[in-house]
């Protein structure tokens, strides 16, 4: 079965292994030993694949100028799926990389049909969450797509010369004028850091979910075509698995009942977790007899992605589940308690940053 990757879709990818053969994504295994320090996202294969991440890590080791570029489409409130990317950025900044984050407000306006006011309000929220989670506001660049300099917009126009409609359809499938502009703008986001005006970073890494790989494939092809003219090199990338929504599909702001938002109140978090899809059996008796299936459980993913960073604790929970020693109700109550604790502390920091007006001090906010 052929997998189609849709950067604007809402469905989870079920068979990540197929991406290696179909799209040429490399398994993450060989790149892991080059990491200067460990992170459980890599050890647990939450980050499962890459393109030239090993080359980027080698450049980091050699003391070259390296940068990380990724972004968020401000089409809704920030949830745990976005927090995965923020955690990756925090880790990469800790390694010594320059981090730059785009708020894709132009894309949200054109593709998601949000108002300008909404895209900016959500964008400020995303930036505030990133700082609250641990990104250093003095060492991180944030920008809105609609508040950039001339050199950035010029790239979009230049890129359009060397991309055909047939190529866009082959990469993205169903395409529209808004999506074409959004895709070329994404390429400018990914590649502009290599320009002298933006730092001249020749080693750029883009950490994203696997659904965003079409943008990376397009950007790498464009870099090849503009290597001589603009001195562009192929960007590197790595890909993480989705944390699923509590209904089993990709966590999305458009399905609020099944997403854990970072500003959800404790009672809402508890309610959502208690209603989550699990890998449990039909009855408690069957659960004790046959055990549960953690691989199908959205609550187990909460532990794996955020709640249990200790591998021993995670393995113990996995074993108790498959042996029927823990039932879904108890599992959910523990997860809800831990998630409330984690997000309550995060919300405290978020509130402080909002009250201090840090975002408005460090980011050029577009006019409506």
């Amino acid at each position: 079965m052929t997998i189609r990757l849709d950067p604007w879709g809402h469905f989870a990818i079920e068979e990540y292994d197929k991406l290696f053969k179909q799209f040429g994504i490399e398994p993450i295994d060989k790149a892991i030993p080059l990491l200067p320090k460990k992170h459980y996202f890599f050890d647990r294969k939450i980050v499962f694949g890459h393109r030239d991440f090993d080359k980027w890590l080698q450049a980091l080791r050699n003391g070259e100028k390296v940068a990380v570029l990724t972004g968020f489409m401000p089409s809704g409130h920030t949830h745990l799926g976005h927090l995965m990317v923020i955690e990756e950025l925090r880790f990469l900044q800790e390694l010594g990389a320059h981090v730059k984050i785009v708020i894709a407000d132009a894309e949200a306006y054109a593709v998601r049909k949000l108002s300008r006011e909404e895209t900016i309000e959500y964008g400020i929220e995303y930036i505030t969450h990133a700082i609250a989670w641990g990104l250093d506001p003095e060492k991180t660049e944030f920008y809105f797509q609609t508040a950039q300099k001339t050199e950035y917009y010029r790239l979009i126009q230049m890129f359009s010369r060397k991309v055909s409609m047939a190529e866009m359809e082959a990469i993205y499938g169903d395409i529209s004028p808004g999506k074409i502009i959004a895709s070329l703008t994404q390429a400018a986001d990914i590649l502009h850091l290599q320009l002298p005006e933006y730092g001249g970073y020749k080693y750029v890494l883009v950490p994203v979910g696997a659904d965003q790989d079409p943008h990376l494939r397009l950007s790498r092809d464009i870099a090849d075509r503009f290597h001589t003219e603009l001195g562009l090199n192929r960007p590197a990338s790595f890909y993480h698995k989705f944390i699923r929504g509590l209904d089993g599909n990709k966590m999305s702001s458009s399905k609020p009942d099944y997403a854990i938002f970072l500003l959800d109140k404790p009672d809402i978090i508890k309610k959502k977790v208690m209603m989550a899809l699990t890998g449990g059996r039909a009855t408690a008796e069957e659960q004790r007899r046959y055990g549960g299936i953690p691989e199908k459980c959205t609550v187990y993913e909460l532990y794996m992605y955020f709640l249990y960073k200790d591998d021993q604790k995670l393995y113990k929970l996995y074993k108790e589940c498959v042996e029927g020693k823990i039932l879904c109700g108890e599992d959910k109550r523990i997860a809800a308690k831990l998630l409330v604790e984690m997000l309550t502390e995060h919300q405290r920091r978020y509130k402080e940053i909002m009250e201090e007006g840090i975002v408005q001090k460090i980011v050029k906010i577009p006019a409506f």
Side-chain angles (χ1 to χ4, degrees), residues 10 31 43-44 83 110 115 184 191 208 232 252 260 315 346 363:
H10 302 292
D43 295 334
R44 295 177 183 177
L83 190 59
S115 69
L184 293 173
L191 297 171
V208 287
L232 300 180
S252 171
I260 300 291
Y315 176 70
H346 174 76
V363 183

Side-chain angles (χ1 to χ4, degrees), residues 120-172:
I120 293 167
E121 288 173 8
Y122 285 136
I124 291 171
E125 178 184 320
Y126 281 54
I127 296 168
T128 307
H129 280 302
I131 297 170
W133 191 253
L135 281 169
D136 187 337
E138 296 183 2
K139 295 181 180 179
T140 311
E141 283 190 84
F142 301 92
Y143 72 94
F144 286 81
Q145 287 176 325
T146 58
Q148 279 287 68
K149 298 177 183 177
T150 304
E151 295 83 2
Y152 167 87
Y153 298 114
R154 186 182 296 132
L155 285 179
I156 301 170
Q157 296 170 313
M158 292 179 71
F159 291 167
S160 68
R161 174 176 168 172
K162 297 186 181 182
V163 178
S164 70
M165 190 64 188
E167 181 180 12
M168 296 294 285
E169 290 173 345
I171 293 174
Y172 293 100

Side-chain angles (χ1 to χ4, degrees), residues 23 99 105 129 137 142 147 149 159 180 201-202 318 362:
F23 297 106
V99 173
D105 59 318
H129 280 302
F142 301 92
K149 298 177 183 177
F159 291 167
I180 291 171
Y201 293 92
K202 294 304 180 182
Y318 181 93
I362 64 172

Side-chain angles (χ1 to χ4, degrees), residues 92-106:
L92 293 166
Q93 186 173 75
E94 198 175 76
L95 297 184
H98 175 71
V99 173
K100 191 166 187 176
I101 300 174
V102 52
I103 301 300
D105 59 318

Side-chain angles (χ1 to χ4, degrees), residues 320-360:
E320 287 177 345
C321 177
V322 297
E323 292 178 354
K325 293 179 180 178
I326 186 170
L327 301 181
C328 295
E330 181 186 356
D331 194 26
K332 287 179 174 181
R333 283 190 289 273
I334 296 170
K337 178 178 179 295
L338 293 173
L339 196 56
V340 166
E341 290 173 356
M342 182 185 89
L343 291 182
T344 297
E345 175 58 21
H346 174 76
Q347 290 168 15
R348 181 190 64 77
R349 294 193 296 271
Y350 179 92
K351 183 179 179 182
E352 289 177 354
I353 292 162
M354 286 292 284
E355 290 174 348
E356 293 173 15
I358 290 176
V359 175
Q360 288 76 5

